[in-house]
Amino acid sequence: MGEEASFSNKNVAASTTIGSSVIPIINRLQDIFSPVDGELSKISLPQVAVVGSQSSGKSSVLEALVGRDFLPRGCDICTRRPLALMLVNRPRNPGDDGREWAEFRHLPGKRFFDFTKVRQEIMAETNKEAGSNRGVSEKQIGLKISSPNVLNMTLVDLPGITKVPVGDQPTDIEARIRKMIMAYIRQENCIILAVSPANSDLATSDALQMAREADPTGSRTIGVITKLDIMDRGTNACNFLLGKVVPLRLGYVGVVNRSQEDINKNRSMQDALAYEKNFFRDHPVYNGLSDRCGIPQLAKKLNQILEQHIRMVLPGLKSELHSRLNAVAKELQKYGDVMESKAEKETMLLNILTKYCEAFSAMVDGRSQEISTKELSGGARIRYIFQSIFVKTLEEVDPCQDLTDEDIRTAIQNATGPRNALFVPEVPFEVLVRRQIARLLDPCLQCLRFVYDELIKMSHACAVAELQRFPVLRRHLDDVMGKFIRDSVRPAERMIDSLIEIEMDYINSSHPNFVGGKKAVEVAMQQLKSSQDGTDGEKGTLSEIGQRFRLTSQGRHSQSNNQRAASVGGNSSSRTWGFPIIFGGKVQAGESPASRSPHETLHNVEQLPSTIQLTEPPSTLGPLEMTEQEAVEILVTKLLLQSYYDVVRKNVQDLVPKSIMHFLVNHAKRNLHNTFIRKLYRENHVEELLQEHDEVAANRRQVKEVSLVLQQAVQTLDEVESEYLPET
């Protein structure tokens, strides 16, 4: 039986040329991809997936297509692992003996000429992964069969759909098998061969239901109806074969399987095919559907459909392979080449340090090749900190926010001492404005800290592909970079402190943008005037206030002396004020207190009325009720504070960002490379810094293998002549 053909050589000779140009390309691609697992296993190549319920006749159909009895058989579940079956038509050559042989993917180079041993190897590999007690595994078995008697195609025999778990099968065996099947038939490059037995209700076939779920349009599903010879008498599957019950664009094919009795009696494939041919020829219904019945028709139909499908998907497959090859090339470039000599390692280290510094400078200056369109990055974030955070915050600060009118009034009175102020004193203005200038130090240092944080983020984000290979170098580089930036912060801090101290040390009241005292008084008078009701009396009061600001020191003292004289009058006893007054004693005119005797003094005290006692002043004194003059003084002081604060604020807004850029940002750009050379580029450190992880070396080897496989696959497709591809 091992040397028998599946159907006549005449039929094969007429069909072997069908699809012979493109189907072998897919076979070669599968040979190329088979040694490599991982991502390449996800590449969807055109193939035929055989789906059916348990004991639906799937294995018999496959064996009939091959013309060999090589699959495990039995009454229980037989296919427990997906079997990728690659049929390769080998033309007869003069030096070829025409022997059929099989080769497993896991045993490359070992050819099986005895197909009984093929069955044994399939069972052994199945037991190895799925156990010997009917377990199921999704790990695929690859099998190639080369024969002059088969048509080129690739089929995947999937486990049959079962309902009840047996043996070591899990309780959810049906769900698992369905999931495994759907993983294959959902792929657009997969043609579904839905096998359903004719002696069951075809309308509720599990295979057709799953095919409809994966292929709702039915554009890539072929229906196969098996066991047509054992249907109930008086019934037939004509309506199904014609697509009247469950329509499929690719149609149906009916076949007759070998029964278990035939298998037990070793009935040959040639005899089974002859029986099938006679059955369809002599059947009153099926004899008119010869193009839809029989294994030869199924093989021809599968071959034609697979060829058309390959022609359709080949351009997209080629594009996908090129895309994957480019991605793998980039990944391989990230891992780099293996460095053997010391000079190569030193060159690599210097190259990495230079690239890192260039990437850092490019990120700061906005010259990075990977510019984000979603958010600000690099130097743009520093500018945002300067303009939208630092400058805007200082502009919103009110220098008089924390100063009440009582605070300003108290400061003015404290500055005048025991005298009454003729003008608004300068001392409280300078004290208060220095206090407000000192408040600018904290936001300036916060701005510096924000920029420092951004530089640290940029240092971590610098994309140098080679750094991923060398974790030790990355760690040392981050340490040196962090210390370098921290050291650069200190001179920037000192500069900012000096700027604030300079502004506090000298209050430049001659600054052209400073409002000045005279202008402040005029503005204050106008504001007070606009706040009044406009009555004559109030206008007169404002005039008096303005006049009071224009009084001279001499006039003020003269007025005070006149008031004192008017109040004293001609009382000769009050002209001289001495210590006895404190104790209530009177001093006669022309009489010295020292000339009196103690007895006379005591006598006089006894004659005086009771003394008037003053209230002790409290420990904390506040100013008296505010006068109109003091209201003007407070308003003038506020105007002066606001005006001079604006002068200082503009200076700070301009000089602090400049200081940060000079001492921190630009300093890092100018000196970072020299720092790296001094700290890292040392002869005794090169070996340590360029140590690779074992994982990196393993990944490099794996990616190289994938790259070679993809190059072979692309080269194979490039060799396809343009006449075999669909016209665009």
Side-chain angles (χ1 to χ4, degrees):
M1 183 178 70
E3 301 296 331
E4 294 172 346
S6 59
F7 36 84
S8 67
N9 292 334
K10 180 179 179 181
N11 291 335
V12 173
S15 308
T16 50
T17 57
I18 300 176
S20 60
S21 59
V22 292
I23 293 180
I25 296 173
I26 301 302
N27 293 340
R28 290 203 299 271
L29 289 180
Q30 289 183 335
D31 287 337
I32 292 172
F33 290 146
S34 60
V36 183
D37 295 328
E39 287 295 322
L40 293 186
S41 62
K42 298 179 181 179
I43 296 179
S44 177
L45 295 176
Q47 59 188 0
V48 179
V50 185
V51 183
S53 59
Q54 183 176 329
S55 301
S56 61
K58 294 190 299 86
S59 298
S60 296
V61 171
L62 290 176
E63 288 181 334
L65 289 173
V66 176
R68 288 286 184 173
D69 189 1
F70 66 98
L71 294 175
R73 305 298 292 269
C75 57
D76 293 327
I77 182 171
C78 301
T79 306
R80 297 189 288 129
R81 286 179 60 181
L83 175 65
L85 180 61
M86 184 190 306
L87 302 183
V88 179
N89 176 264
R90 190 176 75 251
R92 294 182 182 274
N93 296 320
D96 189 354
D97 59 3
R99 297 179 65 190
E100 299 171 321
W101 52 264
E103 181 180 346
F104 285 94
R105 184 184 302 167
H106 61 275
L107 297 174
K110 183 179 180 179
R111 294 182 176 181
F112 291 77
F113 295 92
D114 184 354
F115 280 79
T116 303
K117 294 183 178 179
V118 172
R119 179 190 298 112
Q120 295 173 355
E121 183 63 26
I122 292 175
M123 296 175 63
E125 276 297 303
T126 301
N127 293 337
K128 183 185 299 184
E129 288 292 332
S132 57
N133 195 13
R134 303 182 183 88
V136 176
S137 172
E138 60 183 13
K139 189 173 181 181
Q140 192 180 86
I141 298 176
L143 176 63
K144 179 197 296 185
I145 295 180
S146 176
S147 169
N149 306 313
V150 297
L151 295 181
N152 291 313
M153 68 182 72
T154 300
L155 306 103
V156 180
D157 184 19
L158 296 171
I161 305 169
T162 184
K163 302 291 185 180
V164 181
V166 295
D168 292 335
Q169 295 176 355
T171 56
D172 60 342
I173 182 63
E174 181 182 3
R176 291 192 181 189
I177 292 178
R178 286 181 177 272
K179 182 179 179 181
M180 184 191 309
I181 294 173
M182 293 302 294
Y184 280 87
I185 65 177
R186 282 191 188 278
Q187 300 177 22
E188 291 297 325
N189 287 346
C190 179
I191 296 174
I192 306 171
L193 193 67
V195 180
S196 304
N199 58 348
S200 64
D201 188 358
L202 296 178
T204 60
S205 167
D206 290 332
L208 290 176
Q209 288 180 355
M210 293 191 69
R212 180 180 296 179
E213 182 180 351
D215 178 29
T217 61
S219 59
R220 52 187 180 88
T221 301
I222 303 174
V224 177
I225 303 177
T226 62
K227 305 180 181 181
L228 290 176
D229 57 329
I230 60 174
M231 292 185 69
D232 292 339
R233 292 184 178 181
T235 62
N236 59 72
C238 180
N239 289 335
F240 275 94
L241 293 175
L242 294 175
K244 294 181 179 181
V245 180
V246 181
L248 294 176
R249 292 186 182 181
L250 300 182
Y252 291 83
V253 176
V255 298
V256 173
N257 301 87
R258 287 189 305 164
S259 65
Q260 188 62 41
E261 182 181 0
D262 294 337
I263 296 172
N264 295 336
K265 292 182 178 180
N266 293 326
R267 187 180 185 184
S268 68
M269 287 290 180
Q270 189 175 14
D271 292 341
L273 289 172
Y275 170 78
E276 180 190 57
K277 181 179 180 181
N278 294 332
F279 173 81
F280 288 127
R281 183 191 60 194
D282 298 337
H283 197 280
V285 176
Y286 300 138
N287 61 2
L289 302 173
S290 58
D291 59 333
R292 301 173 188 265
C293 297
I295 290 295
Q297 290 298 326
L298 176 61
K300 182 179 178 180
K301 189 180 189 69
L302 280 176
N303 182 272
Q304 291 176 335
I305 291 174
L306 186 59
E307 178 207 5
Q308 296 171 1
H309 190 65
I310 291 173
R311 288 178 180 272
M312 182 177 63
V313 303
L314 206 55
L317 178 61
K318 187 175 181 180
S319 176
E320 180 185 0
L321 292 179
H322 276 287
S323 177
R324 286 180 177 268
L325 183 59
N326 292 334
V328 169
K330 290 181 179 179
E331 186 178 2
L332 189 59
Q333 185 180 7
K334 178 181 67 176
Y335 292 121
D337 297 327
V338 179
M339 297 171 294
E340 300 293 343
S341 66
K342 182 179 180 181
E344 288 179 338
K345 293 182 179 180
E346 291 178 349
T347 303
M348 172 63 73
L349 178 58
L350 183 60
N351 185 39
I352 292 175
L353 297 180
T354 302
K355 283 186 177 181
Y356 182 90
C357 295
E358 291 175 351
F360 179 80
S361 297
M363 190 172 293
V364 172
D365 296 336
R367 294 182 287 103
S368 177
Q369 298 298 321
E370 299 179 359
I371 295 179
S372 173
T373 59
K374 303 299 182 182
E375 61 177 354
L376 295 180
S377 61
R381 293 180 64 88
I382 295 178
R383 182 182 181 277
Y384 182 88
I385 291 172
F386 287 153
Q387 300 300 323
S388 299
I389 297 179
F390 178 67
V391 171
K392 187 175 181 181
T393 300
L394 294 190
E395 288 177 349
E396 295 174 351
V397 173
D398 181 6
C400 301
Q401 181 179 0
D402 298 333
L403 292 175
T404 64
D405 291 351
E406 289 299 319
D407 295 337
I408 299 175
R409 182 181 170 210
T410 301
I412 293 174
Q413 291 192 6
N414 286 334
T416 59
R419 300 173 303 280
N420 193 15
L422 302 180
F423 302 100
V424 177
E426 293 184 3
V427 174
F429 160 70
E430 293 185 355
V431 171
L432 295 176
V433 80
R434 284 192 177 94
R435 184 185 303 174
Q436 300 309 311
I437 293 173
R439 294 177 59 200
L440 295 175
L441 180 60
D442 286 339
C444 293
L445 295 179
Q446 290 177 16
C447 180
L448 174 62
R449 181 58 56 182
F450 290 161
V451 175
Y452 165 80
D453 292 339
E454 290 301 324
L455 292 181
I456 294 296
K457 291 178 183 177
M458 281 188 271
S459 70
H460 293 158
C462 283
V464 179
E466 292 83 356
L467 274 177
Q468 300 182 15
R469 298 173 54 189
F470 311 112
V472 177
L473 175 60
R474 180 80 214 199
R475 185 170 63 253
H476 281 75
L477 191 144
D478 288 341
D479 293 342
V480 173
M481 183 70 179
K483 186 177 185 303
F484 174 75
I485 297 178
R486 286 193 299 271
D487 292 342
S488 301
V489 167
R490 297 189 183 96
E493 286 181 344
R494 289 194 294 269
M495 184 62 189
I496 292 173
D497 289 337
S498 298
L499 290 176
I500 301 301
E501 290 177 359
I502 289 171
E503 296 290 351
M504 293 173 61
D505 281 349
Y506 179 64
I507 306 301
N508 184 16
S509 58
S510 301
H511 195 281
N513 294 335
F514 181 54
V515 67
K518 182 178 180 181
K519 182 67 175 177
V521 171
E522 294 178 0
V523 175
M525 294 298 298
Q526 293 175 1
Q527 292 183 3
L528 282 176
K529 185 175 182 180
S530 63
S531 66
Q532 299 292 336
D533 293 336
T535 61
D536 294 338
E538 290 169 339
K539 290 180 181 179
T541 302
L542 289 172
S543 298
E544 293 174 1
I545 295 173
Q547 182 65 28
R548 189 176 299 121
F549 271 88
R550 290 187 289 271
L551 289 176
T552 64
S553 175
Q554 181 179 358
R556 182 69 63 88
H557 280 295
S558 175
Q559 179 183 0
S560 178
N561 291 336
N562 292 338
Q563 290 176 351
R564 188 181 298 109
S567 64
V568 172
N571 188 354
S572 60
S573 62
S574 300
R575 293 177 183 175
T576 306
W577 298 88
F579 287 103
I581 294 299
I582 298 176
F583 301 98
K586 276 188 177 182
V587 180
Q588 298 295 332
E591 181 179 4
S592 173
S595 63
R596 297 184 181 180
S597 64
H599 178 70
E600 292 176 345
T601 302
L602 181 60
H603 178 69
N604 292 336
V605 171
E606 291 176 352
Q607 295 177 355
L608 292 175
S610 61
T611 60
I612 300 174
Q613 298 292 329
L614 298 178
T615 304
E616 291 286 340
S619 59
T620 302
L621 288 175
L624 300 175
E625 184 178 354
M626 184 183 300
T627 63
E628 295 176 349
Q629 175 186 352
E630 291 174 336
V632 176
E633 293 173 349
I634 292 172
L635 186 54
V636 170
T637 302
K638 286 185 175 181
L639 291 172
L640 295 176
L641 285 174
Q642 182 67 57
S643 176
Y644 197 78
Y645 174 82
D646 289 341
V647 173
V648 176
R649 174 180 55 79
K650 291 178 181 179
N651 292 340
V652 170
Q653 288 175 339
D654 180 55
L655 293 176
V656 168
K658 288 181 178 179
S659 301
I660 295 175
M661 289 299 297
H662 174 73
F663 288 100
L664 183 58
V665 180
N666 292 333
H667 174 74
K669 291 167 52 182
R670 288 189 297 265
N671 300 284
L672 182 59
H673 189 265
N674 292 336
T675 302
F676 282 159
I677 296 299
R678 189 174 62 257
K679 298 288 187 181
L680 297 176
Y681 191 67
R682 297 180 180 179
E683 184 177 357
N684 56 342
H685 285 175
V686 175
E687 292 287 342
E688 177 186 357
L689 294 177
L690 296 185
Q691 288 181 357
E692 285 185 334
H693 274 315
D694 295 338
E695 181 181 355
V696 172
N699 289 342
R700 184 192 295 111
R701 289 193 299 269
Q702 182 178 358
V703 173
K704 280 186 175 180
E705 292 177 1
V706 173
S707 177
L708 292 175
V709 167
L710 287 173
Q711 289 176 11
Q712 286 182 291
V714 170
Q715 184 178 0
T716 299
L717 292 183
D718 289 340
E719 293 173 356
V720 179
E721 297 181 7
S722 59
E723 60 182 284
Y724 298 131
L725 298 179
E727 296 182 359
T728 56

